[in-house]
């Protein structure tokens, strides 16, 4: 069962990274590692994980900042591993969306117990969520937030992670104009691509993929401002 669980370990200290990866591996979890914040953000924006370990003290980006950015597009459980043991750091990380907090030095058995309890809780919550909460529909467009899949007229559309995150951000703010900067801040966790022209490219490709089948216009361009998802219905225009 653990074989299907994939965990990202974000930690700059080699010894701790090895300690965690060995523990995960011997317990049958799949894992990937990132030794700094920017490579972590790029992995998080392009791969799906079941759980993420993040060290707060990274050389380039603070771990709390990573939690904040990741939470704009993912509900994957996050466990903080940190040498910072004061309450403010802990509260801050939990407020930004971390699920659990482990202070260094930690016991490997405790770490594995936290993994199990976090996974149990997530599975419990997943089962509890009603279809209404995890399915978004707009005209012929349907997003399943749990399986992270998108359908148009019941046909699955394959989106790249950035396109998917862009679509979710617009869907969660349906009816509101989102500025270019707001979208870039929320979706472009990878700084290299953080510019307006790449936003245009991804948006154009997203639009093509979701509007081709249905001939419905979901995304409005507000020139010089940003984009808005509009509510469409099969019978009337909005
Ligand atoms: Ca560190």
């Amino acid at each position: 069962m653990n074989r299907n669980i994939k965990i990202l370990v974000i930690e700059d200290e080699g010894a701790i990274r090895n300690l965690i990866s060995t523990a995960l591996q011997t317990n049958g979890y799949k894992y990937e590692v990132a030794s700094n914040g920017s490579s972590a953000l790029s992995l998080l924006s392009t791969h799906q994980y079941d759980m993420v370990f993040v060290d707060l003290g990274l050389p380039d980006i603070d771990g709390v900042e990573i939690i904040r950015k990741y939470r704009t597009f993912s509900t994957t459980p996050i466990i903080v591993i940190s040498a910072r043991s004061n309450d403010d750091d802990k509260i801050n990380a939990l407020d930004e969306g971390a699920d659990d907090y482990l202070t260094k030095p930690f016991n490997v058995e405790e770490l594995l117990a936290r993994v199990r309890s976090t996974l149990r809780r997530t599975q419990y919550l997943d089962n509890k969520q009603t279809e209404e909460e995890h399915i978004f529909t707009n005209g012929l467009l349907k997003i399943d937030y749990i399986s992270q899949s998108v359908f148009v007229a019941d046909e699955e559309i394959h989106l790249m992670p950035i396109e998917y995150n862009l679509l979710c951000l617009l869907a969660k703010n349906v009816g509101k104009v989102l500025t270019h900067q707001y979208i870039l801040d929320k979706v472009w966790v990878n700084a290299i691509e953080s510019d307006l022209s790449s936003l245009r490219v991804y948006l154009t490709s997203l639009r093509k993929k979701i509007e081709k089948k249905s001939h419905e216009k979901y995304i409005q361009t507000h020139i010089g401002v940003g984009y808005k998802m509009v509510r469409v219905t099969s019978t009337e225009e909005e």
Side-chain angles (χ1 to χ4, degrees), residues 128-136 142-146:
K128 267 191 70 172
Q129 254 169 332
T130 64
E131 183 157 287
E132 240 168 79
E133 286 168 315
H134 79 250
I135 303 274
F136 169 88
K142 188 169 103 180
I143 307 171
D144 184 332
Y145 293 122
I146 300 281

Side-chain angles (χ1 to χ4, degrees), residues 10-13 16 55-59 81 83 104:
I10 309 168
E11 167 64 78
D12 60 318
E13 229 173 302
I16 301 206
D55 173 28
L56 294 186
L58 295 167
I81 28 168
K104 292 181 200 172

Side-chain angles (χ1 to χ4, degrees), residues 45-46 160-167 187-188 190 193 202:
S45 60
T46 49
M160 289 188 285
I162 287 197
E163 294 169 346
Y164 176 76
N165 294 334
L166 200 50
L167 181 65
V187 178
W188 262 250
N190 185 349
E193 291 174 314
Y202 281 109

Side-chain angles (χ1 to χ4, degrees), residues 115-180:
V115 171
R116 289 191 297 271
S117 75
T118 304
L119 288 173
R120 264 199 309 273
R121 205 161 49 231
T122 317
Q123 276 148 12
Y124 171 73
L125 287 176
D126 280 359
N127 293 338
K128 267 191 70 172
Q129 254 169 332
T130 64
E131 183 157 287
E132 240 168 79
E133 286 168 315
H134 79 250
I135 303 274
F136 169 88
T137 55
N138 186 5
L140 297 172
L141 172 71
K142 188 169 103 180
I143 307 171
D144 184 332
Y145 293 122
I146 300 281
S147 67
Q148 308 204 329
S149 37
V150 175
F151 302 86
V152 174
D154 290 327
E155 195 177 309
E156 186 163 7
I157 306 294
H158 296 282
L159 299 179
M160 289 188 285
I162 287 197
E163 294 169 346
Y164 176 76
N165 294 334
L166 200 50
L167 181 65
C168 289
L169 184 67
L170 289 162
K172 281 175 180 162
N173 293 283
V174 63
K176 296 182 201 160
V177 178
L178 304 181
T179 64
H180 297 132

